[in-house]
Amino acid sequence: MKNLIYFPLLMLLFLNCKDDQKASAPEHQTKTESPPSKDVNSKKANEFAIVIHGGAGTILRENMSAEDEAAYNAKLEEAIRVGYDILKNGGSSLDAVEKTINVLENSPLFNAGKGAVFTNAGINELDASIMDGRNLDAGASAGTKTVKNPINLARAVMEKSPHVMLSGEGAEQFAKEQGLEIVDPSYFYTEARFKALERVKASEENETARDKSAFYDPTIKDSKFGTVGCVALDKSGNLAAGTSTGGMTNKRWGRIGDAPIIGAGTYANNATCAVSSTGWGEYFIRAMVAHDISALMDYKGMSLQEAAKEVIQKKVPDLGGDGGIVAVDKDGNMVMEFNTEGMYRASMDASGNLTIGIYKD
């Protein structure tokens, strides 16, 4: 009878001991750590901001007259103030990007619109793209010859068509249907650009002459360069980017560079940044420069400055290319990064502080 009483008591005591052991087990054996979360409380550097570029390349003080330097500085300031005023008055980043680029497209100083370079056939073929960081909508056009402002066409493709990119005659037909300004191809002719084509063609006829000319003639050395672009952050926190170009001097076979390629020449995402590229397009396409900067911020937690430096100072040169970018992130931090001798550029913050640069130093 005693055995029948003791046995249940022994079992109860044994079970209580097991429970005590579980309760005293080290906490780390059962705790699962959560992955680190991204900082959602980052501090804004600027309520709104805008950055532009007018192309990168062998831009040296010794090759630039005082008059030319003053002209570039004046046009850069004119252009960026157009966008700045839009942002200051509560306008959208898309409007700021488009209207700012219009000023650069309408100037013969830059390789876009009126100042576009010539193809091997002696004509002008224009490319452009734009992107909305709110929803990743994008539009682009390539190889147009009669649309006065290609950035306007890119925006129309984004907002009024089901497509992302249109090219050639089809793009021009769409532009007409949308009521965009159409000009005779002769509108894009400038004497300086046509002479540049002649010099590049002459340099190709003789290998020795080409190497020697490239040493002292920036037009020949930088025949692959030339673009204008703008990035902006508006008061609503929306980012936008746009790029417009005449492409490469002496280009053939309908060559298209990075400017109209979303992710290469242009990219905007409200979660990270907006980027516009300028440089040797073939390499910027291969490196997907604009998107890569955003991806490094998104996936690796890099700052805009760190990501831009990684791509422009390491990844692109490692491939053999060169050029630069302008960018602004979701907090209004601005970057103008390039690995060439110069890049026409300007930035304005929310306080109206203006920075204009041409040379590396």
Side-chain angles (χ1 to χ4, degrees):
M1 186 67 181
K2 287 182 179 180
N3 290 337
L4 292 174
I5 295 172
Y6 289 144
F7 182 76
L9 291 174
L10 289 171
M11 288 297 295
L12 182 61
L13 182 63
F14 175 78
L15 291 174
N16 285 338
C17 289
K18 293 283 286 181
D19 289 340
D20 289 342
Q21 288 175 352
K22 287 181 181 180
S24 62
E27 185 179 354
H28 67 79
Q29 290 183 356
T30 57
K31 184 178 179 181
T32 302
E33 292 186 359
S34 300
S37 59
K38 295 179 181 178
D39 180 14
V40 295
N41 297 313
S42 55
K43 186 178 179 181
K44 273 195 174 293
N46 284 292
E47 183 185 13
F48 64 93
I50 183 168
V51 196
I52 66 174
H53 69 75
T58 310
I59 307 168
L60 302 170
R61 274 194 174 87
E62 53 264 36
N63 295 332
M64 181 84 69
S65 69
E67 293 77 13
D68 285 345
E69 184 174 319
Y72 277 106
N73 284 333
K75 189 56 65 173
L76 288 168
E77 180 172 355
E78 177 191 344
I80 200 167
R81 286 195 181 279
V82 167
Y84 174 82
D85 287 343
I86 291 172
L87 298 171
K88 183 179 180 181
N89 293 321
S92 72
S93 53
L94 278 171
D95 286 345
V97 165
E98 181 183 20
K99 299 306 181 184
T100 297
I101 290 178
N102 283 162
V103 176
L104 301 173
E105 287 178 331
N106 293 341
S107 169
L109 293 174
F110 304 98
N111 178 16
K114 177 63 178 175
V117 299
F118 285 84
T119 69
N120 178 264
I123 58 177
N124 310 99
E125 295 178 351
L126 305 134
D127 310 324
S129 62
I130 197 167
M131 188 165 185
D132 186 344
R134 294 176 303 168
N135 48 21
L136 305 188
D137 275 357
S141 64
T144 61
K145 303 170 187 175
T146 63
V147 180
K148 181 182 178 183
N149 294 107
I151 195 67
N152 297 6
L153 173 54
R155 185 168 181 179
V157 172
M158 176 178 72
E159 295 180 339
K160 299 178 180 180
S161 87
H163 309 299
V164 171
M165 181 184 287
L166 300 180
S167 67
E169 293 181 1
E172 292 180 340
Q173 180 61 37
F174 177 77
K176 291 176 184 177
E177 293 174 4
Q178 297 304 316
L180 299 182
E181 187 170 359
I182 304 299
V183 295
D184 186 87
S186 61
Y187 164 81
F188 300 107
Y189 179 91
T190 59
E191 189 70 15
R193 297 300 191 194
F194 193 75
K195 288 182 177 179
L197 172 66
E198 292 177 332
R199 293 200 300 275
V200 172
K201 280 187 170 183
S203 74
E204 283 191 339
E205 294 177 1
N206 185 299
E207 190 75 23
T208 303
R210 182 181 65 187
D211 292 341
K212 184 178 179 182
S213 296
F215 180 76
Y216 67 84
D217 190 335
T219 301
I220 295 174
K221 189 171 183 179
D222 295 334
S223 62
K224 58 188 177 294
F225 290 111
T227 302
V228 304
C230 178
V231 295
L233 170 71
D234 62 31
K235 290 183 177 181
S236 297
N238 295 317
L239 291 164
T243 311
S244 182
T245 188
M248 178 187 289
T249 302
N250 199 36
K251 63 184 178 183
R252 308 181 193 190
W253 311 301
R255 178 264 186 188
I256 296 171
D258 64 305
I261 307 298
I262 301 302
T266 299
Y267 191 75
N269 187 331
N270 276 7
T272 52
C273 63
V275 182
S276 175
S277 307
T278 173
W280 196 338
E282 279 69 19
Y283 292 93
F284 276 61
I285 293 171
R286 289 166 59 191
M288 290 302 290
V289 164
H291 179 267
D292 196 28
I293 291 171
S294 171
L296 288 172
M297 295 176 67
D298 191 18
Y299 303 148
K300 297 191 72 173
M302 287 186 176
S303 68
L304 176 60
Q305 180 65 67
E306 291 169 338
K309 187 173 182 180
E310 172 72 14
V311 174
I312 296 301
Q313 304 300 343
K314 186 177 186 302
K315 289 190 173 185
V316 172
D318 283 353
L319 286 175
D322 45 9
I325 59 96
V326 294
V328 61
D329 70 14
K330 61 186 179 64
D331 297 318
N333 296 295
M334 299 175 288
V335 166
M336 299 178 282
E337 191 76 32
F338 57 99
N339 58 32
T340 53
E341 292 298 326
M343 181 173 75
Y344 299 108
R345 61 198 186 276
S347 66
M348 286 189 79
D349 63 19
S351 298
N353 297 310
L354 171 66
T355 299
I356 298 177
I358 296 179
Y359 314 107
K360 182 181 292 185
D361 53 349

